[in-house]
Amino acid sequence: MTDTHCPYCALQCAMSITGGKVSPREFPTNRGGLCQKGWTAAELLTSPARLTTPLVRRDGELRPATWDEALDVVADGLRRLRAEHGPDAVGVFGGGGLTNEKSYLLGKFARVALGTSQIDYNGRFCMSSAAAAGNRAFGLDRGMPFPVTDLDGAGAVLLVGGNPAETMPPFVQHLRGAELIVVDPRRTATAELATLHLQPAPGTDLALALGLLHVAVADGYLDEDYRRERTTGFDAAWRIAASWWPERVERVTGVPVADQRAAVRVLAEARGAYVLTGRGTEQHASGSDTVSAWINLALALGLPGREGSGYGCLTGQGNGQGGREHGQKADQLPGYRKIDDPLAREHVQKVWGVDELPGPGRSAYELLDALGQPGGPKALLVFGSNVVVSAPRAAHVADRLAALDLLVVADLVLSETAALADVVLPVTQWAEESGTMTNLEGRVLLRQRAVAPPEGVRSDLDVLHGLAVRFGQPAERFPTEPEVVFEELREASRGGLADYSGVSYERLRRGEALHWPVVVDSTPRLFLDRFAHPDGRARFVPVDHRGPAELPDAEYPLQATTGRVLRHYQSGAQTRLVRELAEAEPETYVEVHPDTATRAGLAEGQLSAVVSRRGRTVARVRCVPSMRLDVVFLPFHFPGEGRANLLTNPVLDPTSRMPEFKVCAVRLEPV
């Protein structure tokens, strides 16, 4: 029996593997619980869809090759393109499910072995807006700056744009003692558990947050002592919120005035309260400002930096937190250092033994959009992501991939992106390798190897080592043992905001609870004494409502929003191969109010075309009476013509560069 953690979401539920089967394990985050995905996680270890040999495209077809042949094809192609067009002719795209060791070595490989600035990852599609807002407000971004178990004592929780009852079910047990207020355009499984459900129109969360701040001040709930002693910038934020009186907010959002006042009253009068945000409020062209508005509300009520209350963000991907801390993001170096900070560059260069590093590159969608274009990358290496399904304006992204001279994908199955590649490299998965993950509360976890990988499969670390050596790098610069990589990561992160220097495999094996930053001791609760800005104060950030980048009109009268469902995860490349999950949720669907369906000439169970200005998705109609009349919902886990992201709008948040996944204008048509 081997103790490990689930391969899916950032709750990182504890489990054990015995004889190729999983069983739940007692742990603070999941307390012996698993969701349906976790219970079936081991099925993928023996899936017949598993890749076990490298594939190289010859005469238009992917054909088996040896590892040396495949790596030589990649290295030769990259050398040629770099010689012709410079180092930025090669791009690298990572994933928020990669271990800390892989994320770290991928960033090092891109910048040292390839010399390219063109590296980003799919966490830009998930966490970047909350990270930007957290950094602005607190000077540091750790999604949840307190242990999950602190929520057990909450009197009230405001959950905005999250649906953990489906996306991370064991998390819900931590909310059972609280009055739960849910903000979501849909009546989700989580909203069904709420004391109060606020159901705004998609893209109007910022207006709602401004309205709740207005109510908090007008109804006498502003914590004046906290505002004066622990924050700065309130007056500028209030000048904007002052004009968002509740009646105006109701006209914009559809949320009744009485519900706005009730939500603030519950939060302000609770014995301890938390504001939690998720992707639904973040994946917008104004996502950073929207999260800032929710943080402003939390600061006005005096919640952050106090034990028993606070603000937090529900990280989605398995290593969504650690994945953005150690260098696979375009603007960051290990330890959550900024790549344009001279001192940060000097520190990392010394650890890596190099004299220079490239500067910041393009963000995720901008990188994909530039592929094959003049001045853009001519080759792309993809590790742990399936952008053909997960990226916005997905058909355009597939066209850009097709324009490359060389596409290389490292994956454990032939995902939709891998199927387009020139070279496919079969790599290990969660139970076949050791490595650390950082969960949604900033706790560093050790996932230990439990089973041997299939013959012919190599780890991502082996792949990076093999390519780096072919580029003339010293073999020892790119280790293949995870613990050796982690020891270097400790030094590279030392002194950074995300300082892992005090974390070690030895301490993790002993079961120590280590929440970063860890120099010697763990920091489970951040900000109790001071925030991370130089003056120790949190910042109110003045923000105003702009609304969605694309509004409904006569041609596209409805608003589409997207999200995850219980049985699938991310692009579905893994969960769609698990029989139990695929049978329970075999195809994409569109949730729509029965009256809206009737007006479109549609009925329950009928196939519908959902059409936006960017594309057309075919989905089966599900009539849901609790849906808003002007909103439809699609899950984003399915491939082909069922891809929800054929519809979505790639317009970007100006700060986080997050695409506007959560709202676009559409119409429904019978197929």
Side-chain angles (χ1 to χ4, degrees):
M1 181 176 74
T2 304
D3 290 342
T4 186
H5 293 267
C6 181
Y8 294 117
C9 80
L11 195 59
Q12 284 294 286
C13 294
M15 57 170 58
S16 298
I17 299 182
T18 308
K21 294 186 177 181
V22 303
S23 57
R25 184 161 56 91
E26 193 64 31
F27 199 70
T29 55
N30 63 306
R31 290 182 176 147
L34 291 177
C35 74
Q36 194 172 5
K37 293 187 290 292
W39 275 110
T40 58
E43 186 171 324
L44 201 61
L45 297 172
T46 55
S47 171
R50 189 69 191 281
L51 292 172
T52 58
T53 187
L55 303 173
V56 174
R57 192 172 297 279
R58 296 188 175 100
D59 299 324
E61 294 185 8
L62 286 172
R63 297 180 178 176
T66 68
W67 270 100
D68 281 340
E69 288 171 340
L71 293 177
D72 286 344
V73 168
V74 175
D76 291 345
L78 297 182
R79 268 194 296 265
R80 175 178 57 81
L81 292 169
R82 290 173 75 247
E84 293 175 3
H85 305 284
D88 279 356
V90 180
V92 178
F93 200 95
L98 300 178
T99 63
N100 289 317
E101 293 80 0
K102 293 179 186 177
S103 300
Y104 170 80
L105 208 67
L106 188 63
K108 180 181 179 182
F109 172 79
R111 296 182 173 104
V112 174
L114 298 178
T116 183
S117 67
Q118 301 299 295
I119 176 171
D120 212 83
Y121 81 125
N122 63 15
R124 182 79 72 166
F125 297 159
C126 298
M127 297 299 305
S128 56
S129 289
N135 282 321
R136 288 194 301 205
F138 309 125
L140 182 152
D141 156 52
R142 196 179 88 192
M144 192 174 282
F146 47 82
V148 168
T149 50
D150 281 7
L151 295 171
D152 297 334
V157 173
L158 174 66
L159 177 57
V160 188
N163 183 20
E166 290 197 77
T167 60
M168 50 177 68
F171 177 84
V172 175
Q173 63 188 309
H174 298 290
L175 306 176
R176 286 177 181 157
E179 283 197 73
L180 180 61
I181 306 161
V182 171
V183 178
D184 201 301
R186 300 169 60 225
R187 183 81 178 168
T188 63
T190 306
E192 292 285 351
L193 304 174
T195 304
L196 181 61
H197 176 207
L198 310 184
Q199 198 168 7
T204 64
D205 285 17
L206 209 166
L208 178 59
L210 289 165
L212 297 189
L213 176 58
H214 182 111
V215 169
V217 176
D219 289 5
Y221 293 119
L222 176 66
D223 189 326
E224 284 283 7
D225 290 341
Y226 178 96
R227 179 195 67 79
R228 183 175 56 256
E229 296 168 7
R230 300 209 60 190
T231 73
T232 186
F234 171 77
D235 291 345
W238 171 242
R239 276 194 290 272
I240 298 171
S243 67
W244 284 95
W245 54 92
E247 292 77 11
R248 180 187 179 194
V249 172
E250 179 175 341
R251 288 197 299 272
V252 172
T253 68
V255 176
V257 170
D259 287 349
Q260 296 175 49
R261 294 191 183 280
V264 174
R265 184 179 66 253
V266 168
L267 283 176
E269 295 180 353
R271 65 181 182 274
Y274 292 85
V275 175
L276 305 177
T277 61
R279 302 303 80 70
T281 203
E282 299 158 12
Q283 290 178 319
H284 295 274
S286 56
S288 297
D289 285 355
T290 303
V291 179
S292 288
W294 294 115
I295 293 175
N296 287 348
L297 173 64
L299 291 172
L301 298 175
L303 306 182
R306 284 178 166 171
E307 192 165 347
S309 67
Y311 162 80
C313 167
L314 298 185
T315 307
Q317 294 189 78
N319 200 30
Q321 181 69 57
R324 67 180 180 269
E325 295 168 358
H326 297 301
Q328 64 170 334
K329 190 165 174 275
D331 55 354
Q332 284 176 197
L333 290 172
Y336 224 141
R337 289 180 162 89
K338 298 295 289 182
I339 198 168
D340 55 3
D341 177 354
L343 292 178
R345 295 170 67 85
E346 182 181 351
H347 174 84
V348 174
Q349 285 170 193
K350 183 177 180 180
V351 173
W352 287 352
V354 297
D355 295 326
E356 59 180 346
L357 294 172
R362 296 177 173 92
S363 70
Y365 181 77
E366 291 167 303
L367 174 59
L368 296 173
D369 187 45
L371 297 177
Q373 305 274 28
K378 312 299 180 187
L380 183 70
L381 283 68
V382 180
F383 289 79
S385 191
N386 187 16
V387 294
V388 169
V389 176
S390 64
R393 199 183 172 196
H396 173 71
V397 169
D399 288 343
R400 300 288 12 107
L401 293 174
L404 289 167
D405 289 17
L406 180 64
L407 173 62
V408 181
V409 176
D411 210 329
L412 56 111
V413 297
L414 194 68
S415 69
E416 287 71 27
T417 304
L420 301 179
D422 299 292
V423 180
V424 181
L425 304 173
V427 293
T428 49
Q429 58 175 307
W430 62 289
E432 300 163 354
E433 59 187 10
S434 294
T436 60
M437 308 284 279
T438 305
N439 76 349
L440 78 173
E441 55 184 1
R443 177 170 173 156
V444 185
L445 305 166
L446 179 59
R447 284 201 324 207
Q448 301 189 88
R449 173 171 161 157
V451 299
E455 186 177 351
V457 170
R458 296 186 182 181
S459 75
D460 299 80
L461 301 181
D462 283 315
V463 171
L464 296 174
H465 173 89
L467 290 175
V469 169
R470 283 168 170 79
F471 274 96
Q473 292 291 315
E476 64 275 10
R477 185 171 279 170
F478 290 88
T480 60
E481 286 298 319
E483 190 166 358
V484 176
V485 176
F486 191 81
E487 287 299 306
E488 184 178 303
L489 181 157
R490 293 174 64 190
E491 291 307 310
S493 72
R494 187 182 296 275
L497 290 173
D499 191 331
Y500 282 39
S501 61
V503 182
S504 68
Y505 271 43
E506 181 182 355
R507 296 183 74 179
L508 295 174
R509 289 188 184 109
R510 289 201 300 262
E512 292 190 49
L514 300 177
H515 301 75
W516 69 259
V518 184
V519 179
V520 177
D521 298 321
S522 173
T523 315
R525 296 174 187 86
L526 291 168
F527 313 137
L528 295 183
D529 299 319
R530 64 193 316 274
F531 295 97
H533 288 298
D535 61 3
R537 293 170 176 261
R539 307 283 195 260
F540 282 90
V541 177
V543 292
D544 204 352
H545 173 66
R546 300 193 297 274
E550 182 177 78
L551 296 172
D553 57 19
E555 188 176 2
Y556 301 97
L558 303 172
Q559 290 179 300
T561 190
T562 66
R564 281 168 48 188
V565 299
L566 174 63
R567 273 84 177 214
H568 290 297
Y569 179 72
Q570 299 302 90
S571 73
Q574 297 176 52
T575 51
R576 285 186 271 113
L577 296 174
V578 176
R579 180 175 53 82
E580 179 182 324
L581 303 178
E583 288 178 354
E585 210 71 88
E587 61 180 357
T588 196
Y589 57 86
V590 55
E591 289 185 357
V592 57
H593 191 281
D595 292 349
T596 305
T598 298
R599 284 198 294 271
L602 295 164
E604 174 76 22
Q606 188 175 348
L607 283 177
S608 169
V610 188
V611 185
S612 79
R613 291 178 175 86
R614 287 155 297 281
R616 174 181 184 271
T617 296
V618 176
R620 199 165 298 279
V621 172
R622 290 188 184 178
C623 292
V624 179
S626 63
M627 288 292 291
R628 289 178 55 111
L629 288 163
D630 56 351
V631 175
V632 301
F633 167 81
L634 300 99
F636 58 72
H637 312 290
F638 297 94
E641 65 178 6
R643 282 174 289 171
N645 281 316
L646 292 170
L647 308 173
T648 46
N649 193 347
V651 63
L652 302 179
D653 180 293
T655 302
S656 68
R657 316 310 288 167
M658 167 82 81
E660 188 155 79
F661 284 101
K662 282 296 184 275
V663 57
C664 65
V666 300
R667 65 172 182 265
L668 299 177
E669 298 173 348
V671 173

